[in-house]
């Protein structure tokens, strides 16, 4: 069940209804489309990919200097990393490039001053360029559990796959989450845009909410891990033919499975690529108009032979 603040998204049209002022008093931005979605979790385990992001708190153009984005009018330290038990410097906000060649790429914010945001991981080829950016708070596990009904303390859990293939487990506890030791707080654990978690419960309802992402999303895929990723489409299921992954999969080697959403996570279908088109398990191209779909709120399990980035189109502009 999904609800939006207007019928704009349901018609597939991106129409701006209003404007609002962000943290920079010198910059006004369009009000995004917001909504929420209620998801019924079956007993067992399912892959969950949140369909929303947080509303931008800053939008403007910015000149990149190394690992720094030029900004104006920010409060110094507003987006600094936070300290938690498992990591002294943990990102709470990120910069996203929202147009151009690197549209959808995100960079965790380490610190900020009134005129500069310092991040990590900016490619050298972006140095000196002027880009359009948005700053958002990260979506985290506490956001995933907000408004839940039926989650059981210290029993229901999520598994998050790390880039090296290891898995971190977080247990639901009194409206938030704790680490494997059942003590240390872990509700701050980030779920990056387009990434998924494996959610295990005895059956419950969760409510995800936020902004419908209107731009592309760059989702890293790692060769050392089984990557749980999916389209950020809060309106329902997504067609496999529209996943836009054929060009990044090594032909006839890399591929992805669609797990069931019945609590068993059995593989319902497997797909490969010939470098141009998505192929079925028998290496035949999907027929025009194929209805193969990824369940709503869920994702796929992707295996790649080398690290790459999947550029996912917005559900508003598939």
């Amino acid at each position: 069940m999904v609800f939006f603040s207007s019928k704009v998204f349901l018609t597939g049209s991106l129409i701006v209804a209003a404007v609002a002022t962000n943290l920079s008093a010198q910059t006004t931005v369009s009000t995004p489309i917001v909504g929420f979605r209620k998801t019924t979790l079956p007993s067992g385990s399912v892959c969950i990919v949140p369909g929303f992001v947080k509303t931008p708190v800053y939008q403007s153009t910015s000149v990149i200097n190394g690992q720094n984005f030029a900004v104006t009018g920010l409060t110094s330290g507003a987006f600094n990393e936070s300290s938690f038990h498992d990591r002294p410097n943990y990102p709470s906000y990120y910069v996203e490039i929202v147009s151009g060649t690197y549209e959808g790429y995100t960079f965790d914010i380490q610190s900020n001053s009134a005129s500069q945001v310092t991040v990590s991981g900016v490619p050298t080829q972006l140095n000196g360029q002027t880009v359009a950016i948005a700053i958002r708070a990260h979506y985290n596990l506490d956001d995933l559990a907000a408004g839940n009904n039926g989650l059981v303390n210290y029993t229901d859990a999520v598994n998050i796959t790390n880039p090296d293939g290891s898995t971190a487990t977080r247990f639901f506890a009194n409206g938030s989450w704790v680490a494997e030791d059942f003590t240390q707080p872990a509700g701050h654990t980030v779920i990056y845009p387009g990434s998924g978690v494996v959610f295990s419960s005895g059956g419950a309802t969760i409510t995800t909410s936020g902004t419908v992402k209107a731009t592309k999303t760059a989702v890293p895929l790692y060769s050392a891990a089984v990557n749980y990723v999916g389209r950020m489409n809060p309106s329902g299921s997504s067609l496999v033919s529209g996943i836009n992954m054929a060009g990044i999969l090594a032909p006839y080697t890399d591929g992805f499975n669609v797990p069931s959403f019945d609590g068993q996570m059995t593989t319902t279908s497997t797909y490969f690529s010939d470098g141009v088109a998505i192929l079925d398990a028998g290496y035949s191209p999907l027929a025009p108009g194929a209805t193969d779909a990824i369940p709503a709120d869920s994702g796929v399990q992707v295996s790649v032979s080398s690290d790459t980035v999947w550029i996912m189109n917005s559900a508003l502009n598939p």
Side-chain angles (χ1 to χ4, degrees):
M1 180 180 296
V2 62
F3 300 89
F4 294 94
S5 60
S6 72
K7 296 181 180 179
V8 172
F9 177 76
L10 300 180
T11 65
S13 300
L14 179 57
I15 301 175
V16 174
V19 296
T21 302
N22 61 23
L23 289 184
S24 170
Q26 302 174 6
T27 308
T28 56
V29 296
S30 300
T31 299
I33 301 167
V34 297
F36 68 94
R37 182 175 178 88
K38 291 185 177 180
T39 303
T40 300
L41 304 176
S43 178
S45 298
V46 292
C47 173
I48 291 290
V49 177
F52 299 97
V53 292
K54 299 289 186 68
T55 300
V57 294
Y58 179 90
Q59 286 182 276
S60 187
T61 57
S62 176
V63 178
I64 300 173
N65 180 15
Q67 300 298 308
N68 301 304
F69 287 81
V71 294
T72 57
L74 295 187
T75 300
S76 183
F79 305 136
N80 283 5
E81 292 175 328
S82 301
S83 294
F84 296 96
H85 75 97
D86 59 338
R87 186 168 163 183
N89 300 302
Y90 201 87
S92 297
Y93 293 84
Y94 62 96
V95 172
E96 179 181 6
I97 297 176
V98 296
S99 65
T101 303
Y102 282 84
E103 179 184 345
Y105 279 74
T106 62
F107 309 97
D108 286 336
I109 295 177
Q110 297 177 340
S111 62
N112 79 278
S113 66
S115 60
Q116 179 175 279
V117 172
T118 300
V119 302
S120 59
V122 178
T124 56
Q125 53 267 43
L126 279 174
N127 189 41
Q129 293 195 27
T130 299
V131 295
I133 66 168
I135 295 177
R136 306 177 192 268
H138 272 300
Y139 202 94
N140 59 33
L141 288 183
D142 279 345
D143 297 312
L144 189 63
N148 81 86
N149 183 15
L151 292 180
V152 179
N153 291 334
Y154 305 105
T155 300
D156 295 344
V158 297
N159 284 336
I160 299 172
T161 303
N162 299 313
D164 63 0
S166 62
T167 300
T169 301
R170 301 288 184 257
F171 291 92
F172 180 75
N174 302 312
S176 187
W177 303 82
V178 292
E180 289 93 336
D181 61 2
F182 295 101
T183 301
Q184 298 292 348
H188 60 278
T189 304
V190 168
I191 306 174
Y192 285 91
S195 297
V197 300
V198 176
F199 208 131
S200 300
S201 73
T205 300
I206 59 172
T207 301
T208 52
S209 63
T211 298
V212 180
K213 199 167 185 296
T215 56
K216 295 178 181 178
T217 303
V219 184
L221 301 176
Y222 301 101
S223 60
V226 175
N227 301 274
Y228 289 92
V229 300
R231 292 203 63 203
M232 301 178 70
N233 180 14
S235 66
S237 60
S238 299
L239 291 177
V240 171
S241 59
I243 200 169
N244 195 37
M245 202 176 280
I248 63 166
L249 299 177
Y252 307 103
T253 303
D254 296 351
F256 60 91
N257 296 326
V258 178
S260 63
F261 203 79
D262 58 1
Q264 302 301 310
M265 286 194 69
T266 54
T267 298
T268 61
S269 49
T270 299
Y271 300 91
F272 299 95
S273 169
D274 61 4
V276 177
I278 295 295
L279 312 177
D280 63 21
Y283 298 106
S284 297
L286 291 185
T291 58
D292 303 45
I294 302 163
D297 309 308
S298 190
V300 296
Q301 304 161 309
V302 186
S303 296
V304 293
S305 51
S306 60
D307 293 353
T308 187
V309 177
W310 169 40
I311 303 299
M312 173 177 52
N313 292 328
S314 166
L316 296 170
N317 187 25

